[in-house]
Amino acid sequence: GWLLREITVVVRQPELHPLPQDKRISAKPNFKELYQQALLHPALVPELYPDLSETGQLRIVNVMLLAGFAVPVLAAHHGAFLIPALLPTNLEALPDTSGWCRVILAVHSTDCLPRGESFTMAVLSQRCRQPIGLFARLVAKLAQLSQLSQNTTRPLLSQHAAVIHLGNAAIVLAKNSELGCIELRFQSNDGRGLVGQVTQC
């Protein structure tokens, strides 16, 4: 109960569930970035938890990381954490991916889907289950790679879909709850290399 209550200090809608400390910090850029872009900056943590010691604040952040409530993102955001639950549920619009390459990323144990075999969509829907937090971790990692590739196109992120650019390649990821998989669509001259980058995440 205590831990869940402390996590909801971050994971909430402040306009519906305001806290006393909001009056002091709601105008600050880091607070707005948290609830508009789902990015939690370390500097905001002490202001969200003024009654906790530094050790207590660190414990909350570590638990959020372990439980998938927070995912690290890279240097461009100065060590911020992505808070997947604060992302919009879906993107308002996705690019037209007609003619793009399509790959299904399926997570499974080798005993239910042996390596080297081909499978129908029906088999995938019965035997694959997407681990909790996998999509958020994959999206955060690809957003990091996008920053490292020096691409200036801002990633579009949501809980169920994302549009990310790696170099000159555009990638659209979407959860497929029916199949228990992640769909990857992309435009790239080096499809094998791009898929390799994604699967290494």
Side-chain angles (χ1 to χ4, degrees):
W2 170 84
L3 188 56
L4 183 60
R5 185 172 63 252
E6 296 300 341
I7 289 174
T8 56
V9 170
V10 173
V11 183
R12 63 188 168 100
Q13 293 178 277
E15 63 276 11
L16 297 179
H17 304 284
L19 294 175
Q21 57 266 44
D22 291 356
K23 294 179 182 179
R24 180 169 41 84
I25 60 178
S26 59
K28 295 189 175 184
N30 283 352
F31 187 90
K32 292 180 178 179
E33 197 162 13
L34 174 59
Y35 293 106
Q36 292 174 9
Q37 299 180 38
L39 289 172
L40 173 63
H41 287 267
L44 186 64
V45 173
E47 301 195 77
L48 287 170
Y49 297 99
D51 298 329
L52 290 183
S53 66
E54 185 176 345
T55 301
Q57 294 165 11
L58 184 60
R59 184 184 306 144
I60 294 295
V61 171
N62 285 337
V63 168
M64 291 181 69
L65 288 167
L66 288 171
F69 286 103
V71 182
V73 293
L74 207 66
H77 297 294
H78 307 290
F81 304 102
L82 178 69
I83 309 299
L86 295 180
L87 288 170
T89 303
N90 269 308
L91 298 178
E92 292 184 5
L94 289 171
D96 180 8
T97 57
S98 303
W100 289 29
C101 296
R102 180 190 184 203
V103 174
I104 299 292
L105 303 177
V107 177
H108 60 84
S109 60
T110 54
D111 60 336
C112 70
L113 292 179
R115 295 176 65 88
E117 293 187 17
S118 298
F119 305 98
T120 64
M121 293 298 188
V123 170
L124 289 176
S125 66
Q126 292 171 4
R127 300 194 181 181
C128 290
R129 294 292 179 268
Q130 191 177 135
I132 295 173
L134 174 64
F135 185 79
R137 291 194 297 273
L138 180 59
V139 165
K141 187 66 176 179
L142 288 173
Q144 292 178 6
L145 291 177
S146 179
Q147 295 171 26
L148 290 173
S149 71
Q150 305 300 312
N151 191 287
T152 57
T153 305
R154 186 187 187 91
L156 302 176
L157 309 178
S158 74
Q159 295 180 32
H160 296 284
V163 181
I164 297 171
H165 290 75
L166 294 180
N168 296 322
I171 303 173
V172 175
L173 297 105
K175 280 185 179 180
N176 188 321
S177 300
E178 184 179 347
L179 297 180
C181 303
I182 296 173
E183 287 193 40
L184 170 67
R185 296 177 185 265
F186 60 89
Q187 256 186 339
S188 173
N189 295 326
D190 181 19
R192 181 173 293 182
L194 185 63
V195 173
Q197 281 186 286
V198 173
T199 54
Q200 286 174 13
C201 291

